[in-house]
Every structure is written in structure tokens, then in C-alpha cells.
Amino acid sequence: MPVPSIVSPSPVGDAPGRFHGDARRALRHPFLPQRRDPLRDLVSGAMVRVEATGHVLVITLDRPEVRNAVDAATSAQLEAAIDRLEQHDELRCGVLTHTGPVFCAGADLKAIAQHGLTGFETERGGFGGLCRRERAKPLVVALEGAAVGGGLELVLACDVVIATPAVRFAVPETRRGMVALSGGTFRLARAVGRAVALDLVMTGDELDATRAAQLGLVSRLVEPGTAVAVALAVAERIAANAPVAVRESRALTAAAFDHDDATL
């Protein structure tokens, strides 16, 4: 199978090297959109930053000192961000991304040792407030760094995956005497196939982004430093379409992995 070509931001814009509307303005700084919006910072916290640009809500994991590991506060704040995306009609699509060199290293083991597992899973969203959350609106994830354990499970809970070649994925739970219960087993199998998923979950070995794109886990392989830019442009294109049509098309496509043709 040929290696997927690396996508530059320009193909998803309205002309070479350009982006649609609000996404184009936001990309002057990928993490801090320039245009102020009345919805921005409504649910931002110490662990998760939230900003709106046009019809897109950008959600940023912001714990780089612990590789964006998820603790109870992160789960609560991420769930609040998804709540805001779902509740506001002005927001039609979300982008989930990160600060620092790692997207997410999974659960914060130090926090677990100190406080136990309380709060790591929310009632509606499961791990990270996202992994088992039922959503009506699309969520694009932009990766410039590794997604490991629960971090990969967050990725698998999203709809479109944008990643650079340096990104690595892994489910190392078996090496720690644990089982990935928030999607790292069943969703991974749907994304990459039974044989590859079994290999990854039983060995704990890594999967690089190039192979992940070949297998179908990564939607778009992009140049280093452009993941957020491409994700914002993709989200803006989604947001430009009819919201009801996007919602129903997303639901039917997702259901295809769980139901047969007669049920659908």
C-alpha cells in the first residue's frame, strides 16, 4: 500500500495557501484566535482552554508539564467544554488539540496514587469527560505529539483525526497490568482492523502516524506544525454545511460500525 501523501493546509482552503473565513483569521496564531468572540473563555480552566472562532470551538489540553495527563479536574473541564459545544447553536464543530510535545499520556498516575480514581470518569462522558459522551456535533482532533493509553482513547472518541508524521499511538495498559476499557480495545479494532488491534493491545507496541493513516485511524497526515491549522480549516468547512445534514450524516456513518444494513 502506498504511503499517504502529507497534506498541506492549502488544499482545504478556498484558494491555494488560503483558508475559509474565520478559520483563516484564527490561523494567525493557531492556539489563540485573534477575533474576540462572546463565547470565548466561558468554560476555560487551568487544565483545559476553550476559545470560539466563528462557528468553531477550539478546546486545548493545557497540562504540558505532565504531558497533558488527565486527572479529575481535566475530566470535568473537558466535559464542560463539550457541554458548551453541544448547547450553543452558534457552535457547529469542535477542534480538540494540545499544548506541549505530547497530546495526552493518558491518566495522571500520580493523581491516582494520591487521590484514587474518583472523578477520572464523569457520569455522562466516561474517561476524560469525552470517551463515552454522546454528541450531536462533530469533533476534529489535531495532533502534534503522542497519544498514549487514555490519550489514544480520547482520539478514538473524535470524528476526524489530523496528525503529523511524528505522532505515535499506543495502548500500553497490558504492560502495566491493566485493560483499556474506554475505547482502546473495541474502537481501536474498528479503526485499524482486528489483527492490528490485537497486536497493539497485547504487546503495547507503538503505531506511527504514517501507518495509522494507511490503516484508517488518521484522516489526514499533515506537515509538522500545521495540525491545528488544517483542523481549523476542516472544521470551518464542516461548519459551513447544513447543521442538520451534518448531524444526521455523522450519526448514520458512525452507526454503520454498530448496526447492519437492515437496521439502518
Side-chain angles (χ1 to χ4, degrees), residues 1 3 9 15 18 31 36 42 59 63 73 81 95 97 101 107-108 111 116 129 138 172 175 182 207 220 222 237 253:
M1 183 180 295
V3 176
R18 299 177 60 200
F31 289 99
R36 299 296 297 186
L42 282 180
I59 305 167
R63 302 187 74 206
V95 170
T97 188
D108 187 332
R175 295 184 177 184
S182 296
L207 175 69
R220 303 189 186 209
V222 302
R237 291 190 65 167
T253 303

Side-chain angles (χ1 to χ4, degrees), residues 24-230:
R24 180 173 61 248
R25 289 189 290 272
L27 295 181
R28 295 172 189 166
H29 190 303
F31 289 99
L32 295 173
Q34 300 296 307
R35 188 174 68 82
R36 299 296 297 186
D37 189 288
L39 294 177
R40 66 171 286 160
D41 294 333
L42 282 180
V43 292
S44 286
M47 316 300 180
V48 178
R49 288 198 282 111
V50 179
E51 298 189 37
T53 174
H55 295 299
V56 178
L57 188 69
V58 180
I59 305 167
T60 304
L61 300 178
D62 194 15
R63 302 187 74 206
E65 70 281 0
V66 291
R67 302 196 300 166
N68 291 314
V70 174
D71 62 2
T74 304
S75 292
Q77 291 175 24
L78 187 51
E79 180 174 75
I82 299 300
D83 285 343
R84 200 53 75 173
L85 173 63
E86 292 287 291
Q87 292 167 2
H88 282 268
D89 291 339
E90 299 91 338
L91 299 172
R92 298 181 181 180
C93 187
V95 170
L96 176 62
T97 188
H98 61 102
T99 59
V102 175
F103 169 71
C104 179
D108 187 332
L109 299 181
K110 183 177 180 180
I112 292 175
Q114 293 177 340
H115 308 293
L117 290 169
T118 302
F120 277 75
E121 294 190 356
T122 67
E123 184 175 350
R124 287 177 301 151
F127 177 76
L130 174 62
C131 286
R132 295 187 180 276
R133 177 66 182 266
E134 293 187 5
R135 290 179 288 106
K137 296 181 181 179
L139 189 59
V140 181
V141 61
L143 307 173
E144 294 275 357
V148 178
L152 174 54
E153 291 177 314
L154 293 177
V155 171
L156 291 166
C158 297
D159 302 303
V160 178
V161 181
I162 312 295
T164 65
V167 171
R168 298 291 183 270
F169 303 96
V171 189
E173 275 80 352
T174 52
R175 295 184 177 184
R176 302 167 182 167
M178 303 169 66
V179 178
L181 297 176
S182 296
T185 50
F186 53 92
R187 283 187 183 138
L188 184 62
R190 294 171 191 158
V192 302
R194 180 179 183 274
V196 175
L198 284 170
D199 186 335
L200 294 172
V201 300
M202 291 190 296
T203 63
D205 288 347
E206 292 185 344
L207 175 69
D208 65 77
T210 299
R211 181 85 196 286
Q214 293 172 341
L215 294 168
L217 171 58
V218 170
S219 311
R220 303 189 186 209
L221 196 65
V222 302
E223 296 284 356
T226 69
V228 173
V230 174

Side-chain angles (χ1 to χ4, degrees), residues 136 242-254:
V244 175
V246 169
R247 181 186 68 207
E248 296 303 318
S249 296
R250 173 187 175 274
L252 283 169
T253 303

Side-chain angles (χ1 to χ4, degrees), residues 3-28:
V3 176
S5 60
I6 294 179
V7 179
S8 66
S10 59
V12 293
D14 52 3
R18 299 177 60 200
F19 295 86
H20 287 289
D22 292 309
R24 180 173 61 248
R25 289 189 290 272
L27 295 181
R28 295 172 189 166

